[in-house]
Amino acid sequence: MKEIAPARGVWPPAATPFCADLSIDFERYVAHCKSLLADGAHGLAVLGTTSEANSLDLAEREGALERLVAAGIPAEKLLPGTGTPSIGDTVRLTRHAASLGVRGVLLLPPFYYKSVSEDGLFAFVSEVIGRVGRANLQIYLYNFPQMSGIAWSPALVGHLLKSFPKTVVGLKDSSGDVAYTSRLLESYPGFAVFPSSEALLLAALKRGAAGCISATANTQVGAIRALYDGWQGADAENLSRAASAVRLLMQKFPLIAAVKAVLAERLRAPDWARVRPPLDPLSPAERKELAAELAKIAAEAPA
Amino acid sequence: MKEIAPARGVWPPAATPFCADLSIDFERYVAHCKSLLADGAHGLAVLGTTSEANSLDLAEREGALERLVAAGIPAEKLLPGTGTPSIGDTVRLTRHAASLGVRGVLLLPPFYYKSVSEDGLFAFVSEVIGRVGRANLQIYLYNFPQMSGIAWSPALVGHLLKSFPKTVVGLKDSSGDVAYTSRLLESYPGFAVFPSSEALLLAALKRGAAGCISATANTQVGAIRALYDGWQGADAENLSRAASAVRLLMQKFPLIAAVKAVLAERLRAPDWARVRPPLDPLSPAERKELAAELAKIAAEAPA
């Protein structure tokens, strides 16, 4: 079996648009995913936190992947999230994604029970890998303790890497904890670590990061791609500053709602602003403030 | 349609036994549920936290309920947990449970996204109730912020009660926060509040609580039933002390693993001690310590 190198580059966690009845708006979804790829994304980290995947039911998650592939998006450009609190549902989603030929999957820890041990988390991942039973499966651990309540500790990452060296190949770090990212990069050279913010990307690339999986790549994938391509060049600091300005502004707002508000405004498609409960859309005042601040950043940017 | 009063009494959150391959051991499961009812339980709050329901996949949760009903346990004695992070899967489990004729369902808040607003949580519950579409559905909110990361605030509970007075009829409070329980009981007379510990039961009954849904009811349902029946009698303090001693000891250990360890020992069925990842069983040293401390409590009890 051919061994495939871990993913690298800019993999936006594509936002998921909803119709008025809260079902997925597939036409907009496919168009958005294609435009992200056309604008420079190396691939798409679909069905993660920004995609509101945990607000989709299991059948919708499977259906969304199938629609993207059927619409002509190459499966090897997809890194879907498949983590759930149970071994069974995680195996179901992971097998389904693998059967479509995706590049790999992003795996949240089982996120209901808290204060679980590293042995318990190791046993969970080990059961999932064994039951999925695909030698060429690539798993990227998804670290977002602010949401999941569970962190993949560097020691546990090391244990998993040692036990499943061809399967556990990377990690998306949404913690924003630079020391954590750095520790992983120093401890495990070749492990594909993706920070979740373009504002942390330049420093992370200098330490060996694989790329970036950022919510705000939904709205500025080109700027992030330029930074990824140019990070060793003379203009790196300017590219980083430009991408970071938008990110640092947007993360002052509820981030998923802010991403969707920007897409709604830019595409003149108010429906894009819709989120699924329990999330709320931005208030009109927040939308106005965000738009004004983004316009200010655009006006200050060098031509 | 006949209106059914909210549940009252002792409703153990039945533990779920697993076979060596981690599948549900239905023979033991049915026997355990029947013995809890025979020993004094008014009904069973199956498929909650203690039942490791969030470590079961959706199909298993449905299958487990069906097996209990098929085995002759009256559906009106079942209060299954049906909460998931998504509207769709929550509606699926709730409709399924309602179709079997259960007494009501326990509803966790959507527990992936954190820092969500009360409006967002209200919208979630409102969508679930609307989509389930059964006028006689009884929902008991399930408050366990230590696990779910989300609390049902008294203000939100009031909002839900006012909007869905025949549907949102009670709450299981696993927070252990006595002030919270008291505030609900004072603010919403008639609302069926169940503390999750027999050590808090006597005080809660005096304030108007409906009963108790306690993990340790799996191991001492008779003692809790005696307290529930006798709380206004001369022996109430002694009954409370007896039930509380076991509870306060067991909650010094990881509680679900401790409950299963006690059942394994008592039923001479080592398989009962098995838990699903990410949980761990008690270590041999913990099991020994727990057994010794329980024996001490039993020896000290009045004959």
Side-chain angles (χ1 to χ4, degrees):
Chain A
M1 188 166 300
K2 203 181 86 180
E3 245 182 76
I4 297 164
R8 299 189 69 84
V10 181
W11 290 69
T16 313
F18 297 119
C19 302
D21 67 357
L22 298 182
S23 63
I24 298 173
D25 182 337
F26 285 110
E27 200 178 326
R28 281 214 168 87
Y29 185 45
V30 168
H32 178 56
C33 287
K34 286 188 170 175
S35 85
L36 290 169
L37 290 169
D39 292 347
H42 293 90
L44 301 168
V46 293
L47 299 171
T49 301
T50 305
S51 318
E52 297 172 77
N54 290 303
S55 299
L56 307 181
D57 60 50
L58 297 180
E60 286 179 306
R61 288 167 77 160
E62 292 173 338
L65 263 193
E66 288 168 16
R67 292 290 279 261
L68 294 181
V69 172
I73 293 176
E76 65 268 23
K77 290 188 185 262
L78 296 172
L79 271 185
T82 58
T84 80
S86 78
I87 292 170
D89 286 332
T90 302
V91 168
R92 167 182 160 175
L93 292 180
T94 304
R95 290 189 80 122
H96 174 266
S99 75
L100 291 174
V102 299
R103 178 61 177 265
V105 299
L106 279 164
L107 189 67
L108 278 170
F111 54 84
Y112 180 69
Y113 293 102
K114 303 302 187 290
S115 308
V116 296
S117 74
E118 301 205 342
D119 284 351
L121 292 171
F122 181 86
F124 183 93
V125 177
S126 183
E127 285 288 337
V128 168
I129 292 173
R131 287 169 193 239
V132 171
R134 293 183 77 111
N136 60 346
L137 174 71
Q138 285 197 347
I139 288 179
Y140 299 75
L141 303 171
Y142 186 177
N143 191 59
F144 199 175
Q146 293 91 332
M147 290 291 174
S148 67
I150 309 272
W152 297 109
S153 75
L156 175 56
V157 170
H159 188 188
L160 288 166
L161 263 172
K162 202 168 163 185
S163 305
F164 306 105
K166 290 179 182 171
T167 305
V168 178
V169 299
L171 180 143
K172 180 197 171 182
D173 182 24
S174 293
S175 70
D177 179 347
V178 174
Y180 172 85
T181 315
S182 300
R183 180 142 169 227
L184 290 181
L185 290 168
E186 281 156 24
S187 305
Y188 312 117
F191 190 54
V193 178
F194 292 81
S196 67
S197 165
E198 53 272 47
L200 305 174
L201 179 58
L202 180 54
L205 286 168
K206 289 178 181 172
R207 289 194 177 85
C212 188
I213 300 177
S214 164
T216 35
N218 279 285
T219 72
Q220 60 161 352
V221 66
I224 302 173
R225 175 64 189 261
L227 171 57
Y228 178 81
D229 288 341
W231 74 273
Q232 290 167 300
D235 208 27
E237 290 294 342
N238 284 332
L239 293 168
S240 176
R241 225 176 342 257
S244 300
V246 169
R247 168 72 192 202
L248 296 175
L249 167 64
M250 287 182 65
Q251 70 188 23
K252 290 181 190 163
F253 297 80
L255 192 54
I256 301 168
V259 162
K260 290 184 137 182
V262 169
L263 292 170
E265 171 113 352
R266 188 180 298 164
L267 302 168
R268 299 179 196 284
D271 283 354
W272 246 117
R274 192 173 287 121
V275 292
R276 271 202 189 176
L279 299 187
D280 296 301
L282 294 194
S283 69
E286 286 173 320
R287 283 209 309 272
K288 207 172 149 185
E289 186 193 340
L290 174 57
E293 294 290 328
L294 280 173
K296 220 182 282 178
I297 290 174
E300 284 164 7
Chain B
M1 187 165 300
K2 201 181 86 177
E3 243 182 76
I4 298 165
R8 298 189 68 83
V10 181
W11 290 70
T16 313
F18 297 120
C19 303
D21 66 358
L22 297 182
S23 63
I24 298 174
D25 182 337
F26 285 110
E27 200 179 325
R28 281 216 167 87
Y29 185 44
V30 168
H32 179 55
C33 288
K34 288 189 170 177
S35 84
L36 290 170
L37 290 170
D39 291 348
H42 293 91
L44 301 169
V46 293
L47 300 171
T49 300
T50 305
S51 319
E52 298 172 76
N54 291 303
S55 298
L56 306 182
D57 61 51
L58 297 180
E60 285 180 307
R61 287 167 77 161
E62 294 174 336
L65 264 193
E66 288 168 18
R67 291 290 280 263
L68 294 182
V69 173
I73 293 177
E76 65 268 22
K77 290 190 184 259
L78 297 173
L79 271 185
T82 58
T84 80
S86 78
I87 292 170
D89 286 332
T90 303
V91 168
R92 167 183 160 176
L93 292 181
T94 305
R95 290 190 81 123
H96 174 266
S99 75
L100 291 175
V102 299
R103 177 63 176 263
V105 300
L106 279 164
L107 189 67
L108 278 170
F111 55 84
Y112 181 69
Y113 293 102
K114 304 302 187 292
S115 307
V116 297
S117 75
E118 301 204 343
D119 285 352
L121 292 171
F122 181 86
F124 183 93
V125 177
S126 183
E127 285 288 338
V128 167
I129 291 172
R131 286 168 194 240
V132 171
R134 293 182 78 111
N136 61 347
L137 174 71
Q138 286 196 348
I139 289 179
Y140 298 76
L141 304 171
Y142 188 176
N143 191 60
F144 200 174
Q146 292 91 331
M147 288 291 173
S148 66
I150 309 272
W152 298 108
S153 77
L156 175 56
V157 170
H159 189 189
L160 288 167
L161 265 173
K162 202 170 163 183
S163 306
F164 307 105
K166 289 179 184 170
T167 306
V168 178
V169 299
L171 181 142
K172 181 198 169 180
D173 182 23
S174 294
S175 71
D177 178 348
V178 174
Y180 171 85
T181 314
S182 300
R183 181 144 168 227
L184 290 181
L185 289 169
E186 281 156 24
S187 305
Y188 312 117
F191 190 55
V193 178
F194 292 80
S196 67
S197 165
E198 53 273 46
L200 304 174
L201 180 57
L202 179 56
L205 286 169
K206 289 178 180 172
R207 291 193 176 84
C212 187
I213 300 177
S214 164
T216 35
N218 278 286
T219 72
Q220 60 161 352
V221 65
I224 302 174
R225 176 63 189 262
L227 170 58
Y228 179 80
D229 288 341
W231 73 272
Q232 290 167 301
D235 208 29
E237 290 294 342
N238 284 331
L239 293 168
S240 176
R241 221 174 347 252
S244 299
V246 169
R247 169 71 190 202
L248 297 174
L249 167 64
M250 286 182 67
Q251 71 188 23
K252 289 181 189 162
F253 297 81
L255 192 54
I256 301 167
V259 162
K260 290 184 138 182
V262 169
L263 292 171
E265 172 113 353
R266 187 179 300 165
L267 302 168
R268 298 178 195 283
D271 283 355
W272 247 117
R274 193 174 285 121
V275 292
R276 270 201 190 175
L279 300 187
D280 295 303
L282 296 194
S283 68
E286 287 173 319
R287 282 210 309 273
K288 206 171 149 185
E289 187 193 341
L290 174 57
E293 295 289 329
L294 281 173
K296 220 183 280 178
I297 290 174
E300 284 164 8

